[in-house]
Amino acid sequence: MHLSDSAIAEEETGARILREPGSDRQSEGRQGPAASPRGTPLVRALRFLSGYKWETIGAFIGLVLSTAGTLVVPRLTQIVIDQGITLGAMRVIVWGAVGIVIAAVLAAAFTYLRGYLAARASQGVAYDLRNVLYAHIQTLSFGYHDRAQTGQLLTRATSDVELVRTFISTGLVQLFSALLMMLGSLVLLLSTNWQLTLLTLPVILLVLGVFGFFAGKGRPLFTIVQQKLGRLNTILQENLAGIRVVKAFAREPWERERFGESNLELRDANLRVMRMFAVVMPLIFTLANLGTLTVVWGGGYQFIAGHLTIGELVAFQSYLMMTMFPIIMLGMIIMAVAQAGAGAQRIFEILDTQIEVTDRPGAGDLPAIEGRVEFEEVTFRYFKEHDPVLNGVSLVAEPGETVALFGATGSGKSTIINLIPRFYDVSEGRVTVDGHDVRDVTLHSLRRQIGIVLQETTLFGGTIRENIAYGRPDASEEETVAAAKAAEAHDFILGFPEGYDTSVGERGVTLSGGQKQRIAIARALLIDPRILILDDSTSSVDIETELRMRQALERLRRGRTSFIIAQRISTVQHADKVVVLEGGRVVAQGTHDELIRDSAIYTEIYRSQLQDDRELLPEVVAVAGAEAGEEVS
Amino acid sequence: MFHGPGRGLSREVEKASDFRSTLRRLLGYLRPYAGQISIAAVLVLINTTLTVAAPGLIGRAVDLLWQFFNGEMESAVAISGLNRTMLLLLGAYAGGWVALMGSMWVMVKVGQNVLYQLRGQIFAKIQELSLGFFDQHEAGDLMSRLTNDTDVINQVLTMGLTRMFSSAMTLVGILLAMLVLNWRLALVSFSVLPIMVLSTVFFSGRARRAFRVTRKTIGGVSAELEENIAGVKVAQAFSREQANVEAFREVSAANRDANVTAESITAAFAPTLDVLATVGVAIVVGYGGYLVLNGQATVGVIVAFVQYVRRFFEPVRAISMIWAGLQSAIAGAERIFELLDTPPSIVDAPDALGLPAIEGRITFEEVCFEYKPGEPVLEDVNLVAEPGQTVALVGPTGTGKTTMVNLIGRFYDVCGGRVTVDGHDVRQVSRANLRAQMGIVLQDTFLFAGTVMENIRYGRLDASDEEVMEAAKLANAHDFIMRMPEGYEAELTEQGSNLSQGQRQLVSIARAVLARPRILILDEATSSVDTRTELLIQSALRELLHGRTSFVIAHRLSTIRDADQVIFIENGRIAERGTHEELLAMQGLYHDLYMSQFESEVEAEQVE
Ligand SMILES: Nc1ncnc2c1ncn2[C@@H]1O[C@H](COP(=O)(O)OP(=O)(O)OP(=O)(O)O)[C@@H](O)[C@H]1O
Ligand SMILES: Nc1ncnc2c1ncn2[C@@H]1O[C@H](COP(=O)(O)OP(=O)(O)OP(=O)(O)O)[C@@H](O)[C@H]1O
Ligand SMILES: [Mg+2]
C-alpha cells in the first residue's frame, strides 16, 4: 500500500487541528467546561471527523454501495431458483450466476474503499486527538503538573485515544452500516411480505433496547478499567524513572509486589466488564436467531395457507438474515461503543482542564526589556488553603544588577524565581518586569527574554548540541560553541569522541551531574536572555570549574539582570545585592559588606563556611580572613 | 525526543521460523489453562453443533413445505411437522446461547490471566535488567510494550481464540453436512478454497510486516510523550511548546501512516475473501441448477446447499480474518519476547554468597571500567577502605566519582580488576544481599509519589513509625516535615516535586539512614542543602557512622575535611590520596582545588 499523498495530508492536518473542532474559544486556554462545546464526550470526539469530511463521506458512500451490492445477491439467487432452476431455464441460471459474481466484485470494491477511507479517517482523528491532547498537556501550567502523574497522562494520550479510534474505525462504520442494512432490508422485507415483517419487529426493538442499555452500563466499568490501567502505567513509569533508587535499595521484590497488586486489580476490572459482555453478546446473537425462527415458523404457516411461494420464503429469509446480521454486528460493537465512551470522557477531562496560568485576553507582547524586575508585596501559596510560602516579599533588581537569593533549605528561593517567568501566579501583590505586570503580557514574549536554569536539571534524549540549542533550535554552530564555552562545557564535550554529537541518553543519564548542569547553563545562555536565572545551578560542579565559570559568566552577566541562588557564600558574595530569606520572608538585603555588618544570620553562615575552613589554613587566614574577621567584629 | 539512534530494540530481518516460534511461544502461555480451555472447547463444540444443526432444521422445514407443495403431505401433518421442527430449533438456539456464554466466560478469564502473567513477567524483567540497559532504552517505549503490545495480544486471545475455535468446528461440521448432502456439489464449491488459502498467506505476510511498523511507531509515540511530559517544565521555561508539538506530530504521524498502511492491507483482505465466497455460491447455483435439470438433485437440496455454502464461507472468512488479526498480535508479541529475552548484563553468580553482616572492608584492586567499550572511565584504581573508615572522593566534575561508588553495589561490572567487600569479589555475592546492607544517597534525588512516611520507609520496609522519625530527625528533615499541615502523612507528588530540592535531599538521606546500612554512600547528598543544615547533618552522621564504612562525594570541601582518606580523582585515575592535612601539605592538585575556593574571595576583595 503506497500512501503517496500522506505527505500532503500531513501538511494539511499540520495546520488544521490544534484545538477541538466546534469550540468557539478564540484565545488559548479559555476553555473552562462552560466554554467547551456541548455534547457527550463521544459526540465531541466524533466532531473531530469534520477534519476528514471527504474520507468520511467517501467511506459512507462506499458503505451504501457495498451494502446495496450485498443486498442484490440474494435477489439474484432468488431469481435463479424461481425462474431458473424451478422452470429449467439454463440461460437464466448462467446469467444469474454471472450477475451474482459481478455484484459481489462491486460490493467488494466498495467494501475496500470503505475500509481504507475509514482507516484514514479514524487514524486521522486519533492523530488529531493525540496532538490536541499533547498540545494541551504542554501548555498546562506548573501547578497542574505538580499534581499530575506522567503515567496517567500517557495512558490518556495513548490508550484512551486508541479506544475512541477503534470505535471510529470499526464501530462507527459498523453501527451506521448495521442501521442502514437493517433499514434497507426492513424496506425490502415490507415490500416482500409485510405480515411476516411485523412479526420480526418486536425482536428488533428488543435488540435495540438491550444494546442501548448495556452500552450505557458498560461505560463506567470501562472507565474503571482505564483508571486501573493508568495506575499501572504510573507505577511502571515511576519505576523506570527511579530505577536507580529501586536497585540501590534492592527493592525489586517489593516493587514487583506493588505492581502485582495493581496488575491484579486491572485484571479483575477487565474481567468484570468482559464477563458482562460475555453474557450480553451471545444474548444479542440469540435474539437475532429468534428473529429467524419467527419468520420460518410464521412463513411456514403462510406458505401452507398459500400466501407465499417457496422462493419468496427463501428470499424473505435471506433478507431476514440481512436484518439479523446487523444485529449480530451490533452485538460485536456494543463493547466498542462503551469503551469509546469511557475513553472520550477521560480525554476531555484533560482537554477541559483550565490552564491556570495563561495569557489574559488582549495581552500584548512584552517589548524588548531593559531588565528591571520588581516584586511588590508578593504573597504566594501553592495551594489556596495552605499557609503562604512567600509572605510580603518586596525586592527590586535594577537592569544589569546581579541579585543573589540566600537562605535555608525550603525558605522560598526557588519559589521566588518561579514567579518571574510566571510559572505560577502570585496570590497577592505583583511581579513586574520593566514596569509591566507579568500577568499583562504574553507568556511567550516574557519567557523568551528569560534564561533560566532550573534547580533540577532536566535534559532530553538526543545529542549535546540539540540539548544546548533547545531554546533556539536555529542557533548557529558558533553560538552553540560560545554558550558551551561560557558554561565551561566546551572542553569536556570535546573530550567525548563524538563531541557535540554525543548522544546523552534519555534525561541525560550518560552524563555526570556536573556535566548535566553545565549543559543546562549553556542552554539558558544560548537564548541570550535579558534576565538570567541560575537556581543552584553549580551545586554539582567542583570549585575550580565553578570559579572559571563565574569568571566567564561575569562577562556575560554584564548588561543582564541576573538572579543567582547558591549555598556557597563565595558564589553569592559578588552580587550587587544579596537577599536573605527565612521562612518565606525577606529578612535582610544589601551588598555582602552591608550584610556582614547588619545581618546576624548572614554573618553566622558566612563564618560557618569560611572561618571554619580558614582555621585549618593559616596562610589564607593571613591574606583574606583577617579583613573579614575585622569586618565581623 | 530528538529521535537519536538506538530507539527500541529494533529488529529488521524476518524469518518464517520467527513467526512460528513466536506463535508457539504465545500459545505456550495457554498451556496451564488446558483444563479450562477444554471445557470451553466442549462448550464451543456444543454451540457449534447446535449452530450447524439450525440451518439443517430450517432446511427440513423447507423440505416439509416443499413436500406439502407437491401434494405429498396433508396440511395438518405439515403444520405439526413444522411445529415440531421449530420447537427443536428453539431448543437449539437456547442451548447455543448458554454454551456460547459459558465458553466466552471461561475464555475471558483465561485471556485475562495470560495478560496478567505477561505484564507481570515484563515488569519483573524490567526490574531484573541492569542499569546499562536503561541508559540505552527509552522508558516510554518499554511502557508501550507492557501496555499497547499486550493489548493487541488481548484482542486476539480473548475474542479471536474462541471465534477461531468455533469457526474451525463449524467448518468441519458444515463440511461434513455438505459432503453427505451432495458430495459433487460440495467438491465443486470447495474449488475456491485453495485460492483463499493462498490469498490468506499472501496478505498475512504483508500485514505482519506492516503491523510491526505500527508497534514500533506507537512505542516511539509513547517514548516521546513520556519524556516530554516528564520534562514539561523545561519546555515551558524555554517556550518550546510549539516546537515540541511539531516534533510530536511527526512521531505521531509516523504511527498514523503505519496504521493506515496496515489497515488498508486488512481492508483489502476481507472483500477479497467475500468475492471468492460469492464465486463459490455462484458456482453452486450454476452447477446446482444444472444438476436439478439433469434430475441429479432436488430443489430442496439446492436451497439447503446455498444456505450451507454461505455458512461455510462464513467461518472460512472468520478464520482468515482472525489469522490476519493474529499478525498484529504476533508483531506485539515479538516485541514483548524480545524484551523478555534480553539477558541482563549483570546477574548473580550461580553460587553467589549470601553475605552475612558486612564488616565493611572495601577494596578496589586495579579496577578498570568503561560504559562504552574502548572508552575507559576508570583506569587502574586501587583503594582500600578499612571497616569504619570514611573515604572522601573529590575531583573535577565528570572524572568518575559517581562511577566508582556505583561499582561497590555492583550496578555495573568492571572491565578489569575487582571490587571486593570483606574480601569477597562483588561478583561472587548476592546483589540483593549486598545492597540491602548499603545505604545510598544518589546524586539525582528521586522520591516516589506517596506520603513522606512511605518514602522514608522505602529504606527499610519493616521500620516502625518511630524509627522513621528518628531517621528524619537525624537527616534534619523532621522539622520541615512537621511544619507541613499533614506532617509525615503529607502526600508527595511525582518525584517529590512539591518539596524544595534541599528538602528532597534531606528525605533521601533519611531514607538511606533508615536502612541501617553497613556501608553508607553519600553522592553529593547535601549539594542543595544550606550549609548550616549540612553541618547539623554531619555531626549527626558522625555518630551514626561509628563503625560503618562510608564513601562521601562532595564539592564543598568543608564536607570532607574529616574523612579518614581523601582520594583525588582526575581523568579516571587516582591522582592523590591521604588525609586532608597530608594532601594540603603536598601542595598538589587537592591543594590547588582547596585554595581556589578562597581565590575568588581574595580576588573579589582586591577589586573593592
Ligand atoms: N551511564 C553512563 N553511560 C555512559 N557514560 C557515562 C554514564 N554515566 C557517566 N558517564 C560518563 O562517565 C564519566 C564519569 O562520570 P561520573 O558520573 O562518574 O562523574 P563524577 O565524577 O561523578 O562527576 P560529577 O562530579 O559531575 O558528578 C563522565 O564523562 C560521564 O559522561
Ligand atoms: N510545587 C510545590 N507545591 C507545593 N509546595 C511546594 C512546591 N514547591 C515548593 N513547595 C514548598 O514551598 C517551600 C519553599 O520551597 P522552595 O523550593 O522555594 O525552597 P528553596 O528555598 O528553593 O529551597 P532549596 O534551597 O532546598 O532549594 C518549601 O517548604 C516547599 O516544601
Ligand atoms: Mg530551591
Side-chain angles (χ1 to χ4, degrees):
Chain A
M1 189 73 241
H2 291 286
L3 300 173
S4 49
D5 51 346
S6 73
I8 304 159
E10 150 88 272
E11 284 286 74
E12 199 181 289
T13 44
R16 190 161 52 197
I17 307 246
L18 245 192
R19 62 177 58 129
E20 191 187 344
S23 66
D24 40 15
R25 72 187 119 93
Q26 283 305 307
S27 66
E28 196 69 37
R30 290 278 122 196
Q31 66 272 53
S36 58
R38 307 209 297 162
T40 65
L42 189 54
V43 170
R44 285 172 68 188
L46 292 183
R47 252 185 229 137
F48 277 78
L49 275 173
S50 66
Y52 301 89
K53 268 191 218 84
W54 296 114
E55 282 90 345
T56 313
I57 293 172
F60 196 75
I61 293 175
L63 165 68
V64 172
L65 293 179
S66 66
T67 310
T70 323
L71 284 174
V72 165
V73 174
R75 175 69 82 181
L76 289 176
T77 316
Q78 186 204 350
I79 292 174
V80 172
I81 290 179
D82 276 358
Q83 293 170 27
I85 298 179
T86 320
L87 302 179
M90 197 58 205
R91 249 174 53 94
V92 177
I93 297 177
V94 171
W95 283 113
V98 170
I100 290 173
V101 172
I102 289 175
V105 169
L106 285 177
F110 290 119
T111 308
Y112 171 73
L113 197 69
R114 181 196 79 183
Y116 172 67
L117 291 176
R120 292 209 32 166
S122 71
Q123 292 294 344
V125 169
Y127 169 76
D128 289 338
L129 271 175
R130 267 200 307 253
N131 289 343
V132 173
L133 257 178
Y134 181 72
H136 194 72
I137 291 171
Q138 286 278 311
T139 38
L140 279 166
S141 33
F142 276 39
Y144 180 85
H145 287 291
D146 281 345
R147 276 161 283 146
Q149 293 179 312
T150 310
Q152 290 283 3
L153 295 179
L154 185 69
T155 308
R156 294 186 197 218
T158 52
S159 178
D160 286 305
V161 167
E162 182 62 16
L163 292 184
V164 174
R165 190 202 65 75
T166 311
F167 171 67
I168 290 180
S169 99
T170 54
L172 186 66
V173 171
Q174 290 194 359
L175 187 65
F176 262 122
S177 153
L179 294 178
L180 195 81
M181 277 173 85
M182 232 189 237
L183 214 76
S185 48
L186 264 181
V187 170
L188 280 174
L189 282 180
L190 276 172
S191 70
T192 314
N193 187 314
W194 63 268
Q195 293 101 324
L196 271 185
T197 313
L198 285 187
L199 265 181
T200 60
L201 224 50
V203 174
I204 291 175
L205 289 179
L206 195 62
V207 167
L208 289 178
V210 167
F211 182 85
F213 180 71
F214 282 102
K217 211 168 154 60
R219 213 192 59 179
L221 291 181
F222 275 118
T223 305
I224 297 175
V225 169
Q226 291 305 102
Q227 275 165 359
K228 301 282 181 206
L229 181 64
R231 172 103 196 87
L232 191 81
N233 259 335
T234 300
I235 295 180
L236 178 61
Q237 196 269 341
E238 240 192 346
N239 262 274
L240 287 166
I243 189 83
R244 276 155 211 268
V245 175
V246 175
K247 289 199 178 294
F249 287 93
R251 280 288 164 270
E252 291 95 337
W254 188 72
E255 292 293 348
R256 272 200 294 273
E257 204 175 297
R258 196 157 78 101
F259 178 87
E261 265 168 40
S262 177
N263 193 6
L264 201 66
E265 280 178 22
L266 174 61
R267 188 202 67 176
D268 291 343
N270 256 320
L271 266 183
R272 208 167 330 131
V273 44
M274 299 282 258
R275 278 190 174 146
M276 186 176 109
F277 286 101
V279 176
V280 176
M281 267 161 64
L283 175 68
I284 291 182
F285 299 162
T286 306
L287 287 177
N289 284 333
L290 282 185
T292 314
L293 182 99
T294 328
V295 164
V296 176
W297 209 334
Y301 273 86
Q302 281 205 1
F303 179 80
I304 291 169
H307 298 315
L308 214 59
T309 69
I310 196 87
E312 273 172 351
L313 186 58
V314 170
F316 191 85
Q317 207 219 314
S318 290
Y319 289 131
L320 186 76
M321 263 178 59
M322 301 215 153
T323 323
M324 295 307 144
F325 178 66
I327 290 180
I328 291 176
M329 266 176 19
L330 285 184
M332 306 251 220
I333 61 174
I334 179 171
M335 227 160 87
V337 175
Q339 274 179 326
Q345 187 196 355
R346 284 163 50 84
I347 291 170
F348 285 103
E349 250 165 48
I350 295 190
L351 288 181
D352 289 343
T353 309
Q354 200 142 4
I355 302 176
E356 292 154 29
V357 176
T358 186
D359 294 343
R360 81 169 32 156
D365 277 355
L366 180 68
I369 53 169
E370 290 282 313
R372 185 175 192 279
V373 178
E374 182 169 7
F375 281 67
E376 299 171 18
E377 285 295 320
V378 168
T379 296
F380 176 75
R381 295 177 184 80
Y382 280 101
F383 297 107
K384 272 197 194 71
E385 61 279 15
H386 280 194
D387 291 341
V389 172
L390 295 181
N391 221 329
V393 169
S394 293
L395 60 91
V396 182
E398 296 297 342
E401 260 187 3
T402 297
V403 175
L405 301 177
F406 197 71
T409 287
S411 56
K413 305 179 294 292
S414 301
T415 307
I416 287 190
I417 55 104
N418 275 337
L419 297 179
I420 304 172
R422 205 180 158 213
F423 292 145
Y424 300 90
D425 270 340
V426 296
S427 310
E428 284 159 44
R430 58 188 211 131
V431 178
T432 64
V433 171
D434 278 11
H436 301 276
D437 189 321
V438 290
R439 286 167 298 189
D440 291 339
V441 296
T442 57
L443 283 176
H444 178 70
S445 66
L446 172 69
R447 291 181 184 167
R448 213 179 36 204
Q449 303 189 53
I450 300 175
I452 187 164
V453 180
L454 293 170
Q455 192 166 19
E456 197 179 6
T457 320
T458 308
L459 300 185
F460 297 93
T463 66
I464 290 181
R465 175 178 295 122
E466 285 164 335
N467 268 291
I468 294 179
Y470 188 74
R472 255 185 66 201
D474 58 343
S476 71
E477 178 70 19
E478 292 75 47
E479 289 169 317
T480 308
V481 172
K485 277 187 176 153
E488 277 296 317
H490 184 66
D491 291 340
F492 88 77
I493 295 172
L494 289 191
F496 294 129
E498 288 157 84
Y500 281 85
D501 293 317
T502 306
S503 165
V504 301
E506 200 171 40
R507 291 167 236 266
V509 278
T510 64
L511 295 179
S512 84
Q515 289 169 340
K516 273 191 274 191
Q517 284 192 330
R518 281 177 285 165
I519 302 280
I521 294 173
R523 176 170 73 185
L525 292 177
L526 185 66
I527 65 172
D528 191 20
R530 300 303 304 164
I531 301 174
L532 182 65
I533 299 173
L534 302 173
D535 188 355
D536 210 10
S537 50
T538 51
S539 62
S540 291
V541 176
D542 64 284
I543 303 166
E544 265 186 83
T545 310
E546 198 208 340
L547 179 63
R548 283 201 304 273
M549 269 167 76
R550 203 155 63 224
Q551 285 157 354
L553 285 176
E554 205 84 43
R555 269 179 287 117
L556 274 170
R557 277 211 302 263
R558 248 163 241 153
R560 297 175 211 275
T561 313
S562 321
F563 287 83
I564 294 178
I565 300 177
Q567 301 295 351
R568 287 177 218 160
I569 288 240
S570 56
T571 313
V572 302
Q573 72 186 146
H574 313 284
D576 297 306
K577 185 183 282 166
V578 179
V579 177
V580 184
L581 286 162
E582 190 154 85
R585 290 174 190 277
V586 176
V587 290
Q589 49 180 313
T591 63
H592 172 71
D593 294 331
E594 288 163 3
L595 289 174
I596 289 285
R597 207 168 38 238
D598 304 332
S599 166
I601 298 179
Y602 189 78
T603 313
E604 187 196 326
I605 298 172
Y606 179 71
R607 295 176 79 161
S608 77
Q609 280 187 30
L610 291 177
Q611 291 288 92
D612 252 23
D613 283 345
R614 278 156 211 239
E615 280 161 21
L616 289 151
L617 206 65
E619 66 268 48
V620 178
V621 178
V623 182
E627 297 164 39
E630 278 162 27
E631 281 164 352
V632 174
S633 53
Chain B
M1 78 150 294
F2 296 112
H3 322 291
R7 161 165 287 159
L9 318 141
S10 66
R11 149 154 71 172
E12 302 300 340
V13 278
E14 140 164 66
K15 280 176 255 129
S17 62
D18 279 355
F19 169 71
R20 235 169 291 140
S21 64
T22 308
L23 182 61
R24 195 169 314 130
R25 191 160 164 195
L26 195 57
L27 293 178
Y29 280 86
L30 297 173
R31 202 160 299 135
Y33 306 100
Q36 271 139 293
I37 293 177
S38 319
I39 294 176
V42 170
L43 289 172
V44 167
L45 187 68
I46 293 171
N47 174 267
T48 310
T49 318
L50 295 175
T51 315
V52 174
L57 286 172
I58 294 178
R60 218 169 92 187
V62 173
D63 264 355
L64 214 75
L65 298 179
W66 192 249
Q67 282 171 353
F68 165 77
F69 179 67
N70 287 344
E72 293 164 23
M73 196 183 278
E74 301 258 320
S75 77
V77 180
I79 285 176
S80 74
L82 182 67
N83 286 349
R84 218 171 319 115
T85 318
M86 288 299 108
L87 282 174
L88 275 178
L89 188 59
L90 188 64
Y93 284 148
W97 175 31
V98 172
L100 181 59
M101 208 163 68
S103 68
M104 278 177 72
W105 188 280
V106 172
M107 282 314 288
V108 158
K109 174 136 196 208
V110 170
Q112 287 301 322
N113 275 327
V114 169
L115 287 184
Y116 168 74
Q117 190 190 351
L118 261 178
R119 285 193 298 257
Q121 283 184 348
I122 297 172
F123 188 80
K125 186 70 198 188
I126 287 175
Q127 296 282 321
E128 178 192 329
L129 286 165
S130 30
L131 288 187
F133 178 86
F134 298 99
D135 292 348
Q136 286 153 26
H137 293 98
E138 292 163 306
D141 184 67
L142 297 175
M143 292 178 72
S144 180
R145 285 170 207 246
L146 193 142
T147 53
N148 299 328
D149 293 341
T150 52
D151 201 47
V152 287
I153 294 180
N154 176 19
Q155 283 159 20
V156 170
L157 270 190
T158 31
M159 289 300 137
L161 216 63
T162 13
R163 289 239 310 275
M164 179 90 118
F165 203 54
S166 70
S167 300
M169 289 199 200
T170 318
L171 198 62
V172 172
I174 294 180
L175 213 84
L176 290 177
M178 282 165 77
L179 283 172
V180 169
L181 206 61
N182 188 318
W183 63 270
R184 257 178 291 197
L185 259 181
L187 288 186
V188 167
S189 54
F190 297 160
S191 60
V192 291
L193 272 185
I195 309 176
M196 284 189 159
V197 171
L198 279 182
S199 61
T200 304
V201 170
F202 174 81
F203 275 107
S204 60
R206 258 144 217 270
R208 184 160 65 249
R209 279 190 290 279
F211 279 125
R212 238 177 238 151
V213 186
T214 69
R215 296 291 93 216
K216 205 170 146 189
T217 49
I218 191 70
V221 167
S222 170
E224 183 84 7
L225 279 168
E226 197 273 339
E227 192 175 26
N228 285 294
I229 294 175
V232 68
K233 291 188 174 181
V234 176
Q236 294 192 10
F238 286 88
S239 289
R240 265 284 292 226
E241 297 96 324
Q242 199 50 43
N244 278 358
V245 169
E246 301 288 322
F248 178 71
R249 270 218 191 111
E250 229 170 81
V251 180
S252 182
N255 179 247
R256 178 196 62 189
D257 296 341
N259 273 314
V260 170
T261 308
E263 277 193 48
S264 53
I265 292 171
T266 18
F269 184 43
T272 308
L273 290 175
D274 286 345
V275 168
L276 291 173
T278 315
V279 168
V281 173
I283 291 176
V284 167
V285 171
Y287 185 64
Y290 168 80
L291 286 183
V292 172
L293 293 188
N294 286 353
Q296 281 167 292
T298 65
V299 176
V301 168
I302 302 299
V303 170
F305 223 90
V306 170
Q307 291 268 2
Y308 274 130
V309 172
R310 281 232 189 84
R311 291 235 156 197
F312 170 74
F313 285 114
E314 231 166 73
V316 170
R317 182 180 195 264
I319 291 175
S320 304
M321 291 307 292
I322 294 166
W323 190 252
L326 185 67
Q327 307 310 317
S328 102
I330 293 290
E334 278 173 356
R335 276 165 53 87
I336 291 171
F337 293 149
E338 194 177 24
L339 176 62
L340 291 182
D341 290 345
T342 311
S345 51
I346 299 179
V347 285
D348 278 350
D351 52 348
L353 294 173
L355 273 183
I358 295 177
E359 285 283 318
R361 186 171 193 276
I362 294 163
T363 67
F364 281 67
E365 297 167 16
E366 307 199 342
V367 166
C368 122
F369 177 77
E370 49 195 27
Y371 286 106
K372 288 178 211 137
E375 295 173 29
V377 171
L378 294 178
E379 280 172 290
D380 196 22
V381 171
N382 284 290
L383 173 74
V384 180
E386 295 298 342
Q389 273 196 343
T390 296
V391 178
L393 304 179
V394 276
T397 62
T399 51
K401 303 180 291 294
T402 302
T403 306
M404 251 182 93
V405 295
N406 274 340
L407 298 181
I408 301 174
R410 201 182 168 210
F411 293 109
Y412 295 92
D413 266 345
V414 297
C415 61
R418 60 186 207 135
V419 177
T420 69
V421 172
D422 285 1
H424 304 291
D425 190 321
V426 289
R427 285 169 295 191
Q428 299 304 323
V429 302
S430 135
R431 279 169 305 157
N433 209 312
L434 170 64
R435 290 176 191 168
Q437 300 189 55
M438 296 174 63
I440 306 180
V441 180
L442 295 167
Q443 188 169 15
D444 285 323
T445 320
F446 186 92
L447 301 180
F448 293 90
T451 64
V452 176
M453 184 71 94
E454 286 165 357
N455 263 289
I456 299 179
R457 192 171 277 141
Y458 202 81
R460 184 156 50 88
L461 298 178
D462 57 3
S464 68
D465 287 4
E466 288 68 39
E467 286 172 312
V468 168
M469 287 186 206
E470 272 314 303
K473 278 180 189 150
L474 201 146
N476 244 279
H478 183 73
D479 289 345
F480 92 78
I481 296 171
M482 291 315 284
R483 272 202 303 275
M484 294 193 283
E486 299 92 2
Y488 281 86
E489 294 309 315
E491 284 287 335
L492 300 190
T493 54
E494 201 162 280
Q495 310 214 2
S497 63
N498 53 347
L499 292 183
S500 86
Q501 184 74 19
Q503 290 168 340
R504 276 177 246 174
Q505 287 190 336
L506 300 185
V507 171
S508 65
I509 292 172
R511 176 172 70 188
V513 163
L514 184 70
R516 291 211 208 111
R518 300 299 310 162
I519 303 170
L520 184 67
I521 292 175
L522 302 172
D523 189 353
E524 298 187 18
T526 49
S527 62
S528 291
V529 175
D530 64 280
T531 41
R532 275 185 304 172
T533 311
E534 190 185 26
L535 279 178
L536 294 175
I537 297 176
Q538 265 168 24
S539 61
L541 278 180
R542 207 163 296 145
E543 223 159 278
L544 176 98
L545 283 177
H546 195 75
R548 299 167 202 233
T549 314
S550 63
F551 282 76
V552 178
I553 302 177
H555 288 302
R556 273 186 232 157
L557 298 183
S558 57
T559 321
I560 56 178
R561 261 185 342 225
D562 300 326
D564 298 297
Q565 301 184 49
V566 175
I567 309 285
F568 191 97
I569 304 171
E570 186 166 50
N571 293 329
R573 291 173 185 276
I574 296 183
E576 292 174 10
R577 67 177 89 208
T579 62
H580 175 72
E581 287 79 11
E582 287 165 1
L583 288 183
L584 282 184
M586 271 170 63
Q587 302 261 323
L589 295 164
Y590 181 78
H591 176 265
D592 293 348
L593 181 70
Y594 193 75
M595 294 308 287
S596 66
Q597 65 183 319
F598 306 108
E599 230 166 75
S600 57
E601 178 195 0
V602 173
E603 159 209 54
E605 283 174 15
Q606 278 164 355
V607 170
E608 278 159 23

